Amino acid sequence: MDTGLALLLAAAYLFPLYWMYVTALKEPREIFLNPPSFWPHRLHAEFVQVFVEHGMAHYLWNSCLIAAGATLLTVLLGTGGAFVLSRRNDRMALGALFLVLLLQALPPSLLVTPIFVAFNQLGLLATPRLAVVLAQTGRMLPLFIVLTRPSFAQVPRELEDAARMDGASRSKVFLLIAVPLARNGILVSTILVFLQSLGEYVYSRSLISSDQLQTATVGLRGFLGTNTTDWSGIMTYAAIYVTPILVLFALLQTRIVGGLTAGALK
Amino acid sequence: MYRSTTASLAAGLVALALQSSPVRAEPVTLTFWTIDKPDQAQQSYVLAHEFETKNPDIRIAVKHVDFADISNDAIRAVATGSGPDLVSIDNPEVALFASHGAFVDLTPMIKASKIIDPARFFPGPLASVTWKGGIYALPRGSNTLALYLNDDAFRRAKLDPARPPATWAELRADAAKLTDPAANRYGLAFSAIADEEGTFQFLPWIQSAGGDWNKVNGAAGVSALTFWQGLIDDKLASRDTLVRAQTDSFQTFVAGNAAMAISGPWELSGPIAGARFAWSTALLPVAGPGAPHASALGEHTFGILHTSAHPAAAFRFLEYVYSQEGRDWNEFGMLPSIRNADPKNPAHPKAYATFIEEMRYARVRGPSPAWPSISKAIQSAYQGALTHQATPQQALDAGQSAIDSAREEASP
Amino acid sequence: MSARRRSGQDRPGFLHRSGFETALLAAPVLFLVAVSALPVLYTIAMSVQSVDMFDILSLHRPFVGLRNYIHLFHNPAAGRIALNTLLFTTCSVVAQVTIGFALAVFFQRRFPGAATIRGVFLAAWIMPGLVVGAIWKWMFAGDSGVVNAILAASGLIHAHPFWLSDPHLALPAVIIANIWLGVPFNMILLSVGLAAIPRDLYEAAAMDGAGSIRSFVSITLPMMRATIAAVVSLGIIFTLQQYDLISGLTEGGPANASNVAQYWSWQLSFQTYQIGQGSALAVLMLAVTALVASIYVSSTRREVVA
């Protein structure tokens, strides 16, 4: 009963994704058909062609590299910050939290020009993927900290205090008690940061000038230009881009998201 | 630096003369930003590749930048000294780049050139790259607008596709006969989107009625906008005309959901192939009997940014582009910008004849360094009236005052 | 206030004032200052200067005081866009949190496949804003759009509404797409919060005879306060950043009917190169965010001590 309702909700929610796949499978002419067809009259699968012609392999590789880099840096820098902010409420900590939130107020589309100017002056544009990793980390850190902080807040302090009394150092308490107990929250935030970084577009477009180093989102944008709006191609590209992540996610998600329902803490 | 450029230039000229003699000079690498895409055999990539083969001393690294972003990116790059050597800029924005000294003044190089003869340019394309007497970019080709007709739909509606609508009144009457809600078909597809494409589509209407981009709120502007408003209010064109780019609108014509469409020659190098009906082209209808023909002059131009370390080598690429104008129609979906560059066997010969004739009426947008603001004001005006947030007169009055203040700010 | 702080110090509180923690906190803050604070300061500076896009490298530009702000307020579109921004943000956040919470509670029930099906919802979060914009634009098309086809087939509408080109529908259309985009994020975060509530609290409440509504009000909501505060503030901040979707769907049109501050700021700076006014608008958005951030921070202050 509940399962049926859940499936129904999921199906309704995922309809846009279905529409992406159906559009990808239609002939360009059928796409503009009015009223639209819910199933392609003639299959028009160009997945391999689009993948090869658009050099998607290296685009996807660059996307993964940048997303992994930004995620790694975000987690390394942000986990400790989230922990401290869950434990302290003195003026310095609150000021830090305020600053962290405020600094991500502006969308990348507005921040990118000053970032471009600054990175250009620092010579960072010579390593454009690193430049995007840094800029994207700046964007994801506040998100990660704010998301992860409540998980640390839910770790009972008594455990840490007890370990501390037993002579454990502060860093040990953090790494061996707090982090493992908050791992579900950290993991979920990490995944959200990674997925968001995979979709990063504005910084990659502006900071990376070599096509060989460019990401898949920028490659996708190439379709959306004037004078040739190939919707079938766009949706095929989008489908190729999204499908592996979906499959990977489907395989791992019982472990990732399923961990949530278990409830790490009793 | 200067010496090596001169040396490579000399070497290149020798290579050009002897076709394929070995060259010893250090190769120069030019960077080139373009709106073309690498995968579709588009002009920038094709010509850059050919140029490299003919000039082994010069390499061209071509980068695709989206149409909407290229001016912006080029400005940012030139301001920080990190720009490419060559960049493709839409023709109404050449004045912006030229007036800020961002483009190299090509006039002396053109004078010295054995290949480029400025007298061969059609007046419109030449005016679009000229700023205060200097030539700051070269047209890579040209485009303009024409009316596409679905001949089969015309016949079904008992209309003769050989007698296409010549005036606005005829266009409206034909569109009304061709519109068939039951068959999900509109009479006409065009674009009134709020970006440069929409401005490009709107100006010919104002111009045929006697106005222009710098005088939009007179009777001409009001009659043009009222006519557009009528097409959409009376459902002769889809309301989504306001959010569809030209190709998206044209796709509804290809799919049979619109019986006529206003678009450019770029549709012929791909989209039109999907049409399952007989089609033809005609000149844009004029405001009334005896009214002047008008059409918009479009297409990107190639310029050299002043930060380029290799302007001479970059100019040689521009010479090569110029020398290949004859291929514009058949290979790149554009019209030639120079006289006597007609292809021997043009594809779609009838459409070619229409577009070539229409080119005679194609007018430049601007030139004005404030073009982006002027264009925005025009877009706000027609969108405001088409959504009935203002009458055409009110919307165009507001547009006119925005245009006037933008021009004033640009020329202190 | 001081009493509260003292009660915090009554604990064996090793956590106060340690070098290790200061370092943990300083690392992300310094990084953010380096990457984000400088651009923000640069934007603030530009908002009171006359800026030529061709001269963005130099900071020495004519100072114009509040002229950019005054021009902004005198723009006839300003009122409309301010209202749109308010509507866009409020409707998006309220709906995202409500739907997200409802789904999180629903999936908290242990039925076969609950975890798997819930995971599927995250698919939307994977989609880049660009793609989401393209798909929804497609679905919302007035003539051949699937949304209208479904509504017509179910007999709900007779004439086709033009979602993206009707000035009354464009903003709702953008909001609907944005809600779609934000629901999984809210649901997952709220699920994490729900999962952390000790089960025995509910068991104890059940033994006391509390019904499901009462335990929701007396246990779930209070325990979720920190998470809800985080989700709402982040939701507001994220919604104020939503740019890709608007760019993909309506570009703020028709006639500014769906334009919002963040998109307008971009248009001013990078379409018409009125970068001073674009920056002024960005600064106003910063001020709003500062307000939201301070509300969030003060909510955490209570929660840390509690």
Side-chain angles (χ1 to χ4, degrees), chain B residues 6-189:
Chain B
T6 324
S8 67
L9 177 66
L13 285 174
V14 172
L16 202 67
L18 301 178
Q19 286 304 316
S20 59
S21 68
V23 175
R24 271 176 293 147
E26 282 288 298
V28 164
T29 297
L30 299 173
T31 46
F32 175 25
W33 291 0
T34 176
I35 54 162
D36 285 351
K37 292 162 198 165
D39 50 303
Q40 293 163 10
Q42 290 187 336
Q43 187 199 35
S44 304
Y45 288 86
V46 172
L47 295 187
H49 182 69
E50 292 171 3
F51 180 77
E52 284 181 330
T53 340
K54 291 194 165 73
N55 300 273
D57 57 323
I58 303 178
R59 313 230 46 85
I60 303 185
V62 191
K63 182 199 174 190
H64 164 80
V65 181
D66 197 58
F67 186 95
D69 302 314
I70 198 160
S71 312
N72 199 350
D73 283 16
I75 292 172
R76 185 164 59 206
V78 77
T80 52
S82 60
D85 299 282
L86 288 154
V87 65
S88 162
I89 292 294
D90 200 11
N91 69 32
E93 294 196 329
V94 170
L96 175 71
F97 280 74
S99 64
H100 281 87
F103 270 164
V104 172
D105 182 356
L106 304 176
T107 321
M109 290 196 266
I110 291 174
K111 245 176 213 152
S113 171
K114 293 196 172 62
I115 297 168
I116 299 179
D117 172 11
R120 269 183 79 194
F121 281 107
F122 290 118
L126 185 63
S128 75
V129 292
T130 304
W131 176 249
K132 295 202 168 158
I135 299 176
Y136 284 86
L138 286 187
R140 65 167 190 161
S142 292
N143 68 48
T144 187
L145 293 169
L147 184 67
Y148 287 80
L149 318 171
N150 178 333
D151 292 353
D152 295 351
F154 264 67
R155 288 190 199 98
R156 272 198 304 274
K158 307 218 158 42
L159 291 167
D160 180 3
R163 294 191 54 231
T167 61
W168 294 0
E170 289 173 23
L171 178 71
R172 203 191 137 86
D174 287 0
K177 282 183 196 141
L178 291 159
T179 298
D180 182 359
N184 290 310
R185 191 171 61 235
Y186 290 100
L188 179 66

Side-chain angles (χ1 to χ4, degrees), chain A:
Chain A
M1 179 64 192
D2 278 352
T3 309
L5 181 60
L7 283 173
L8 205 68
L9 287 171
Y13 185 76
L14 291 183
F15 182 79
L17 271 166
Y18 167 77
W19 203 242
M20 171 184 79
Y21 282 109
V22 171
T23 309
L25 290 171
K26 285 180 183 173
E27 281 185 294
R29 211 176 57 95
E30 191 187 338
I31 288 174
F32 285 85
L33 210 62
N34 175 9
S37 47
F38 281 81
W39 188 250
H41 296 317
R42 266 176 46 191
L43 276 189
H44 174 79
E46 288 192 329
F47 289 92
V48 176
Q49 196 190 334
V50 168
F51 187 85
V52 175
E53 275 185 11
H54 292 270
M56 283 188 72
H58 77 260
Y59 284 144
L60 288 171
W61 168 245
N62 290 328
S63 288
C64 288
L65 212 61
I66 286 172
T71 309
L72 189 70
L73 197 56
T74 302
V75 173
L76 282 179
L77 287 171
T79 309
F83 170 68
V84 175
L85 288 177
S86 76
R87 287 294 179 267
R88 272 167 55 168
N89 69 336
D90 54 85
R91 199 166 284 177
M92 191 179 88
L94 292 175
L97 184 58
F98 179 75
L99 199 66
V100 159
L101 280 171
L102 188 64
L103 286 184
Q104 60 140 28
L106 297 180
S109 53
L110 297 181
L111 281 185
V112 67
T113 293
I115 286 184
F116 180 91
V117 172
F119 281 16
N120 182 58
Q121 295 304 97
L122 295 171
L124 269 170
L125 297 187
T127 50
R129 287 182 294 194
L130 177 67
V132 176
V133 165
L134 293 177
Q136 176 67 6
T137 303
R139 192 163 155 57
M140 288 293 115
L141 250 183
L143 168 74
F144 181 84
I145 290 175
V146 175
L147 293 189
T148 313
R149 206 187 55 84
S151 310
F152 278 118
Q154 284 164 338
V155 173
R157 250 180 262 188
E158 290 71 21
L159 288 177
E160 292 164 23
D161 294 345
R164 193 70 190 123
M165 302 254 215
D166 291 344
S169 70
R170 287 171 210 279
S171 51
K172 262 197 176 147
V173 169
F174 167 63
L175 287 173
L176 299 180
I177 296 179
V179 170
L181 285 174
R183 67 176 184 277
N184 273 330
I186 298 174
L187 196 62
V188 171
S189 311
T190 305
I191 288 162
L192 292 180
V193 166
F194 181 77
L195 295 179
Q196 279 288 287
S197 301
L198 267 183
E200 201 289 313
Y201 165 68
V202 174
Y203 291 142
S204 305
R205 189 185 73 66
S206 305
L207 303 179
I208 302 177
S209 58
S210 158
D211 192 55
Q212 278 305 309
L213 304 178
Q214 204 46 277
T215 62
T217 41
V218 180
L220 172 71
R221 181 69 197 179
F223 272 110
L224 296 165
T226 38
N227 296 2
T228 43
T229 310
D230 173 7
W231 285 99
S232 170
I234 292 169
M235 293 303 160
T236 306
Y237 192 114
I240 295 175
Y241 177 76
V242 168
T243 308
I245 312 171
L246 276 180
V247 169
L248 192 73
F249 190 74
L251 292 176
L252 290 178
Q253 66 96 15
T254 22
R255 290 188 53 180
I256 299 166
V257 190
L260 298 175
T261 33
L265 306 161
K266 290 279 167 187

Side-chain angles (χ1 to χ4, degrees), chain C residues 30 85 87 154 166 303:
Chain C
L30 290 179
T85 311
L87 285 172
S154 56
D166 183 327
E303 152 243 324

